[in-house]
Amino acid sequence: EQNGFTGQIPSEVLDLEDLQFLRASFNEFDGTIPEDIGQLSNLKELWIAETDVGGTIPASIGDCEQLESILMYETDVEGDLPPELFSSDKLTWVDLSETNVGGELPDTFYQATALQKFVMNSTDIDGTLTEDLGNLVDLEQLWIRKTNLAGPIPESVGDLSKLEILLLDENEMTGTIPSTIGGNENLIFLDISNNKIEGTIPSEIFDISALEIAYIGNNTLTGPIPENYYEPDNLRELWVDGNELSGSVPDVPEGKFEQLEELILNKNLLTGAVPESICNLRDDANGKIISLHSDCAQPPSPPQIECECCTKCTTAAGTEDDP
């Protein structure tokens, strides 16, 4: 890795029957993945990330039954994901981000039960996630961002008890946030922003004690902010902006939100006033909040929501006024 190698990956590499690790990332290789890559039946790692390798992923990759990781991110690889990609029952890590790979996730994806990290950001993936997602009980990180993925978040997401990172932002997802998400007791980072998700914010999200970052903005969520939104002790960033949330901002008991740095509430239908208990958590007071946004801009007068401590005031329509 990280040499100045150019040209195609030589076909002679297929003669290395005992080869276990093929790491060719961060070079200037081009051409395609050898069509008979499956000859490397002992291969455990196939890493060609950040090269100019293109073409489709050969179906023969299914013969690499010892594969543990496939890293092809930032390459020119294209075409639909072959079902054979997930043939190895030892496969734990797949990253095909920033490629031209597309199509629906094959059924075999949901059978790769050893998967721990799956990353498909900025690809042409479409279709939906099925309820079979719950089969991936060892999954720790699921990154499918900036794709054409549609449909709802499966109810079975709550069965992924080891999940730490769930990033599904900037897709075409619809439906509601399943209350079962509260079952993800190890979830640290949740980003489902910039979709078409509707309904209310389930209070179960804030039953996740490990939660540190939650981005659920820029959807069409309605209803109030859950009263227990301050419960995760390690919550640092909470963004609910760009929805249709209504009601008032709940008060925060003493001893809560002690780690909070960003609370983004603007571009909603919230009214009333930002509670003094939140103002007391600003970084220039007794807390750590450095970014506090609400619809406190004037005009109109009085503003939609009163806030004496916000770092940014907007209107629900997006007009900004930095106090």
Side-chain angles (χ1 to χ4, degrees), residues 47-94:
W47 297 6
I48 57 171
E50 294 195 39
T51 66
D52 293 325
V53 173
T56 58
I57 301 173
S60 70
I61 199 170
D63 295 327
C64 300
E65 296 181 350
Q66 305 301 313
L67 263 181
E68 297 174 1
S69 56
I70 302 170
L71 306 186
M72 299 182 182
Y73 59 87
E74 293 187 43
T75 65
D76 293 328
V77 173
E78 61 186 5
D80 291 351
L81 289 177
E84 295 82 1
L85 183 70
F86 302 100
S87 294
S88 171
D89 60 8
K90 299 176 176 62
L91 191 63
T92 62
W93 184 12
V94 176

Side-chain angles (χ1 to χ4, degrees), residues 85-299:
L85 183 70
F86 302 100
S87 294
S88 171
D89 60 8
K90 299 176 176 62
L91 191 63
T92 62
W93 184 12
V94 176
D95 192 337
L96 293 168
S97 294
E98 297 187 47
T99 64
N100 296 315
V101 169
E104 298 187 14
L105 293 170
D107 292 341
T108 52
F109 164 69
Y110 303 102
Q111 299 166 16
T113 54
L115 265 182
Q116 297 175 10
K117 184 175 182 180
F118 184 69
V119 188
M120 289 290 293
N121 303 335
S122 300
T123 62
D124 294 326
I125 287 294
D126 55 27
T128 63
L129 291 172
T130 76
E131 290 295 339
D132 289 333
L133 183 68
N135 296 337
L136 305 181
V137 293
D138 286 332
L139 196 63
E140 297 174 0
Q141 300 185 27
L142 179 60
W143 305 47
I144 309 179
R145 308 176 56 243
K146 301 181 180 180
T147 71
N148 297 314
L149 190 69
I153 301 170
E155 295 276 343
S156 63
V157 70
D159 296 332
L160 307 179
S161 61
K162 296 182 180 180
L163 195 65
E164 298 177 356
I165 298 176
L166 177 60
L167 307 184
L168 299 174
D169 54 299
E170 296 191 50
N171 291 309
E172 301 293 329
M173 302 195 75
T174 56
T176 60
I177 304 172
S179 61
T180 54
I181 200 167
N184 302 117
E185 58 187 20
N186 291 301
L187 191 64
I188 296 172
F189 188 2
L190 171 67
D191 191 349
I192 53 174
S193 63
N194 295 287
N195 279 288
K196 300 174 182 178
I197 298 171
E198 58 188 8
T200 59
I201 300 174
S203 61
E204 288 82 359
I205 287 180
F206 302 106
D207 291 335
I208 303 171
S209 59
L211 192 64
E212 296 183 13
I213 301 173
Y215 297 153
I216 53 182
N218 295 307
N219 283 290
T220 55
L221 297 168
T222 56
I225 297 172
E227 290 287 339
N228 67 333
Y229 74 132
Y230 48 73
E231 285 295 347
D233 289 337
N234 296 311
L235 191 62
R236 293 185 289 111
E237 299 178 18
L238 176 59
W239 292 35
V240 298
D241 56 307
N243 285 295
E244 298 174 12
L245 301 177
S246 57
S248 58
V249 180
D251 204 6
V252 177
E254 187 175 353
K256 294 296 185 179
F257 269 171
E258 291 186 337
Q259 304 304 317
L260 193 68
E261 298 175 359
E262 298 182 7
L263 181 59
I264 311 302
L265 306 169
N266 59 314
K267 300 181 184 177
N268 277 293
L269 303 177
L270 298 168
T271 55
V274 173
E276 183 179 355
S277 57
I278 290 179
C279 289
N280 290 339
L281 295 171
R282 277 287 311 275
D283 62 324
D284 57 359
N286 300 316
K288 297 183 178 181
I289 296 179
I290 56 175
S291 296
L292 177 57
H293 301 180
S294 75
D295 294 319
C296 50
Q298 297 190 59

